C-alpha cells in the first residue's frame, strides 16, 4: 500500500501561548498542537526536567530570580524549534526581553480568564505566587500588574465558561486571520 504525503495547510508552524496561570495554556496548547499536527512544549515542564526540581521547589530553594533565568534560557531555545506550540509560564511574557524574542519568532496567543475562574482552576495546585491569605486579591493584583505585557500579544482569547475545544477553534480562526494579515503585509 502506498501512502501519499500531503502537505498539511497550517496557519502557522510555530506559536506561543501566554497568559496568567489557570487560563488554560497547557490544556489548550496540547489540544491545539494535536489539531495543527505540531509538537507541544510546556516550558514549565522543560524547566522541571532540566533542573530536576518542581517549579515550587526552585522558588522555595533558589528564589524567583533563578527560576526566571531558567525560563529565559528555555524560551530562547524554544524559538529555534519548528512545528511547535509552546506553552509559557504565567510570568514569562511579562519580561520585555522574552516578549521581544517570542514576538520575533511567531505569533503569541494570550489566553485570558476572570480572577475567580483562575482561582477555581488553580486553588488545589502548588502555585508559589498564590500562597497568600487572599489568593483572589493576589490574582487581581497580578493581572493588573501584567495587563500591559499581556496586551502585547498578537491574538487574545477568553477562556471563561468555554470548553477547551471551543477555545481551540477560536484560536484557529484567529491564527488564519493573523496569517492572512501577515501575507498581505509581505505582498503574498
Amino acid at each position: 500500500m502506498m501512502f501519499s504525503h500531503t502537505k498539511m495547510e497550517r496557519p502557522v508552524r510555530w506559536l506561543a501561548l501566554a497568559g496568567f496561570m489557570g487560563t488554560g495554556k497547557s490544556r489548550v496548547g496540547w489540544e491545539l498542537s494535536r489539531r495543527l499536527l505540531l509538537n507541544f512544549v510546556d516550558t514549565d515542564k522543560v524547566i522541571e526536567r532540566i533542573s530536576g526540581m518542581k517549579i515550587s521547589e526552585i522558588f522555595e530553594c533558589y528564589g524567583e530570580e533563578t527560576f526566571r533565568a531558567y525560563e529565559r534560557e528555555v524560551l530562547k531555545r524554544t524559538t529555534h524549534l519548528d512545528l511547535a506550540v509552546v506553552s509559557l509560564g504565567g510570568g514569562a511574557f511579562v519580561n520585555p526581553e522574552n516578549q521581544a524574542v517570542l514576538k520575533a519568532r511567531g505569533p503569541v496567543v494570550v489566553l485570558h480568564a476572570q480572577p475567580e475562574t483562575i482561582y477555581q482552576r488553580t486553588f488545589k495546585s502548588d502555585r508559589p505566587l498564590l500562597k497568600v491569605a487572599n489568593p483572589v486579591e493576589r490574582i487581581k493584583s497580578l493581572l493588573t500588574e501584567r495587563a500591559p505585557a499581556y496586551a502585547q500579544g498578537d491574538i487574545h482569547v477568553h477562556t471563561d465558561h468555554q470548553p477547551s475545544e471551543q477555545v481551540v477553534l477560536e484560536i484557529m480562526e484567529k491564527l488564519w486571520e493573523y496569517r492572512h494579515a501577515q501575507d498581505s503585509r509581505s505582498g503574498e
Side-chain angles (χ1 to χ4, degrees), residues 12 14-19 25 79 86 88 92-93 98-112 149-157 171 175 178 182:
V12 295
W14 185 98
L15 70 102
L17 283 174
K25 297 181 303 291
T79 62
V86 180
L88 309 174
F93 197 62
N98 292 347
Q99 275 182 33
V101 167
L102 292 162
K103 286 181 63 74
R105 176 59 176 96
V108 176
V109 178
V110 180
L111 300 183
H112 300 274
Y150 290 153
Q152 300 305 308
D154 300 296
I155 295 170
H156 298 268
V157 176
I171 292 170
L175 284 171
Y178 172 87
Q182 297 294 18

Side-chain angles (χ1 to χ4, degrees), residues 1-8:
M1 180 190 259
M2 296 286 288
F3 289 99
S4 165
H5 291 291
T6 58
K7 184 178 177 182
M8 180 188 171

Side-chain angles (χ1 to χ4, degrees), residues 36 44 62 70 153 159 163:
L36 291 168
D44 282 350
Y62 300 105
Y70 272 118
T159 64

Side-chain angles (χ1 to χ4, degrees), residues 7-187:
K7 184 178 177 182
M8 180 188 171
E9 186 66 24
R10 299 178 179 95
V12 295
R13 296 171 55 95
W14 185 98
L15 70 102
L17 283 174
F20 202 76
M21 67 180 90
T23 56
K25 297 181 303 291
S26 294
R27 180 176 181 146
V28 168
W30 187 85
E31 290 182 28
L32 185 61
S33 72
R34 295 295 158 274
R35 176 81 183 229
L36 291 168
L37 299 178
L38 299 174
N39 296 300
F40 178 64
V41 179
D42 184 322
T43 58
D44 282 350
K45 298 290 182 219
V46 173
I47 292 167
E48 288 181 342
R49 205 172 310 125
I50 63 175
S51 69
M53 302 173 82
K54 292 183 182 252
I55 301 297
S56 58
E57 293 170 338
I58 297 170
F59 268 79
E60 191 177 309
C61 296
Y62 300 105
E64 185 174 358
E65 190 174 321
T66 297
F67 170 73
R68 297 297 176 199
Y70 272 118
E71 187 174 63
R72 275 190 304 280
E73 184 59 30
V74 168
L75 292 182
K76 284 179 189 170
R77 290 175 187 247
T78 66
T79 62
H80 297 292
L81 299 173
D82 193 23
L83 301 174
V85 172
V86 180
S87 173
L88 309 174
F93 197 62
V94 175
N95 177 304
E97 179 186 335
N98 292 347
Q99 275 182 33
V101 167
L102 292 162
K103 286 181 63 74
R105 176 59 176 96
V108 176
V109 178
V110 180
L111 300 183
H112 300 274
Q114 294 298 314
E116 295 75 18
T117 301
I118 291 168
Y119 178 69
Q120 286 302 312
R121 292 175 179 171
T122 61
F123 78 94
K124 291 182 182 175
S125 62
D126 189 20
R127 308 286 179 140
L129 294 177
L130 298 184
K131 290 185 176 179
V132 294
N134 190 335
V136 174
E137 285 305 313
R138 177 72 171 143
I139 291 167
K140 288 177 183 176
S141 171
L142 286 169
L143 283 172
T144 300
E145 184 180 304
R146 294 176 180 183
Y150 290 153
Q152 300 305 308
D154 300 296
I155 295 170
H156 298 268
V157 176
H158 292 269
T159 64
D160 291 291
H161 314 296
Q162 286 197 79
S164 54
E165 303 83 32
Q166 186 61 41
V167 174
V168 168
L169 289 174
E170 185 176 342
I171 292 170
M172 290 287 293
E173 193 175 299
K174 290 182 176 188
L175 284 171
W176 280 110
E177 292 169 8
Y178 172 87
R179 178 175 175 180
H180 293 312
Q182 297 294 18
D183 289 350
S184 295
R185 282 189 209 126
S186 64

